[in-house]
Amino acid sequence: MSILRILLVALFIQPAVASAELAEIVRVIDGDTVAVLSADRKMTRCRLYGIDAPEKGQAYGEVSKKSLSDLAYRKVLDVRLTGTDRYGRAICRLLLDGVDINREQVARGMAWVYRRYSQDRAYFDAEAGARSQRLGLWAGTNPVPPWDFRRQ
């Protein structure tokens, strides 16, 4: 195989390999953002794909952060990069032993499905379940989505 062909193959394979790796969650910033430390000691701030958690000053903001911390802090997870947001943050799915941590935050009533960015049916089903069971933020009478809270 020629050197050019090897380089072309490596170019196409590398993004797929780099998009999923094991990493430790070293900081939980809020209910939908974490800092991960990769095996090669690279720190990355990850915004969780498909969800939007209450803001820190919002009802359930601290509870949502604690929930994510209980699920992921100091654990080694499969971190799957799905893209970057307009602020340059990595957008990630977090998986622990096959459990989608992002979806779990929604199922616990700790986050909304971020409808603008997610089409994952499992996330919508998880939200509907949390809503019907009045879990987490759904226990309140009129929960305000974070995207509306930020606009106020």
Side-chain angles (χ1 to χ4, degrees), residues 26-38:
V26 293
R27 182 169 174 226
V28 175
I29 296 158
D30 57 28
D32 59 23
T33 309
V34 297
V36 302
L37 186 63
S38 65

Side-chain angles (χ1 to χ4, degrees), residues 18-147:
S19 67
E21 66 178 294
L22 293 179
E24 181 181 3
I25 306 304
V26 293
R27 182 169 174 226
V28 175
I29 296 158
D30 57 28
D32 59 23
T33 309
V34 297
V36 302
L37 186 63
S38 65
D40 63 358
R41 312 298 294 163
K42 180 182 173 206
M43 183 78 72
T44 303
R45 187 175 200 154
C46 289
R47 174 80 166 71
L48 273 57
Y49 163 81
I51 73 171
D52 200 5
E55 298 294 326
K56 288 179 183 174
Q58 188 176 1
Y60 285 92
E62 287 301 316
V63 178
S64 177
K65 177 182 177 179
K66 181 172 181 343
S67 172
L68 183 55
S69 184
D70 292 345
L71 286 165
Y73 182 65
R74 288 293 178 195
K75 295 180 182 163
V76 176
L77 295 117
D78 180 3
V79 178
R80 298 191 179 175
L81 179 67
T82 64
T84 56
D85 68 9
R86 63 183 176 190
Y87 305 109
R89 293 178 298 190
I91 304 295
C92 304
R93 279 190 194 237
L94 304 179
L95 295 143
L96 178 62
D97 298 327
V99 174
D100 183 334
I101 299 299
N102 307 30
R103 190 200 62 75
E104 187 61 25
Q105 275 289 88
V106 174
R108 290 178 170 202
M110 296 296 142
W112 280 261
V113 175
Y114 208 165
R115 283 157 175 71
R116 185 172 176 185
Y117 299 106
S118 178
Q119 293 80 39
D120 192 320
R121 188 76 241 153
Y123 285 33
F124 287 95
D125 293 344
E127 184 179 285
R131 198 183 283 233
S132 71
Q133 294 175 53
R134 303 189 60 78
L135 297 176
L137 60 93
W138 302 111
T141 55
N142 191 21
V144 176
W147 51 87

